[in-house]
Amino acid sequence: EIVLTQSPGTLSLSPGERATLSCRASQSVTSNSLAWYQQKPGQAPRLLIYDASSRATGIPDAFAGSGSGTDFTLTISRLEPEDFAVYYCQQYGSSPRTFGQGTKVEIK
Amino acid sequence: QAQLVQSGAEVKRPGASVKVSCKASGYTFTSFAMHWVRQAPGQGLEWMGWINTGNGDTRYSQKFQGRVTITRDTSASTAYMELISLRYADTAVYYCAREHLVSGGSCYAYWGQGTLVTVSS
């Protein structure tokens, strides 16, 4: 099973700042099959990025995914008030599919 | 636009079983696999398994093997997840998620609203 470790656990930033979230895999993620999701309280997760760097439909270009192999990054170039949430990475290249434990982006 | 609507919240005793439904609309049900993911209170996301809605084949996480069964009713465009021998640690929100086909495989662009299952004596 591929273990995904996200860091930091919590990121305290102000609106307008840049957020950099990390997701490290215990072994190489097949075909860079890695997604990022955003989740707000009481809501289902929302797909942001798939295949490590492709934005999902309707996702603003402030969100960018990068990385390959075992190291992946989600960057939010300029935080908007609605971007404060929990972010999860997920690999779907190997079974079982696994998620990271999440990074909470909170308002400083 | 695909939409997934799940059944309502449940309260179950330890040792009981629960069956959660997920009704799909807005697309051809049998064209996309359905996955189940759960989230314990204040915790992260945990993949449970999936069903090929076309032929009914299933695959489960080793953690839930023997306790979870995912089925589907194609005539009703509905997938089901049954979990037996419930424990307190099974208290969670259970989500169905439709696969979204991409180059590297499939992720989840469509989610149900979640069903809270509470295990309590």
Side-chain angles (χ1 to χ4, degrees), chain B residues 20-31:
Chain B
V20 179
S21 68
C22 171
K23 182 169 178 60
S25 61
Y27 70 97
T28 302
F29 178 72
T30 52
S31 294

Side-chain angles (χ1 to χ4, degrees), chain A residues 35-104:
Chain A
W36 289 92
Y37 299 87
Q38 176 194 68
Q39 188 178 35
K40 297 179 180 178
Q43 296 184 16
R46 173 194 183 199
L47 178 65
L48 300 174
I49 301 288
Y50 62 89
D51 291 346
S53 60
S54 297
R55 267 188 302 277
T57 302
I59 302 303
D61 57 12
F63 291 88
S66 62
S68 64
T70 60
D71 287 295
F72 300 88
T73 301
L74 174 68
T75 302
I76 310 171
S77 59
R78 186 179 168 83
L79 283 164
E80 299 290 342
E82 61 269 24
D83 298 333
F84 291 91
V86 179
Y87 293 83
Y88 294 95
C89 58
Q90 181 218 9
Q91 67 81 23
Y92 47 91
S94 306
S95 188
R97 297 169 176 232
T98 48
F99 291 88
Q101 82 280 17
T103 290
K104 181 178 182 180

Side-chain angles (χ1 to χ4, degrees), chain B residues 51-65:
Chain B
I51 185 166
N52 179 323
T53 51
N55 62 16
D57 285 350
T58 54
R59 188 155 188 181
Y60 304 121
S61 167
Q62 191 79 359
K63 176 175 178 176
F64 301 99
Q65 196 80 36

Side-chain angles (χ1 to χ4, degrees), chain B residues 5-10 12 17-23 36 69-71 78-83 92-96 113-117:
Chain B
V5 178
Q6 297 183 222
S7 48
E10 303 260 15
K12 296 291 182 181
S17 63
V18 68
K19 191 170 185 177
V20 179
S21 68
C22 171
K23 182 169 178 60
W36 289 86
T69 304
I70 300 173
T71 57
T78 300
Y80 302 91
M81 186 283 301
E82 183 175 25
L83 190 62
V93 175
Y94 290 76
Y95 293 101
C96 58
Q113 82 276 19
T115 296
L116 175 61
V117 175

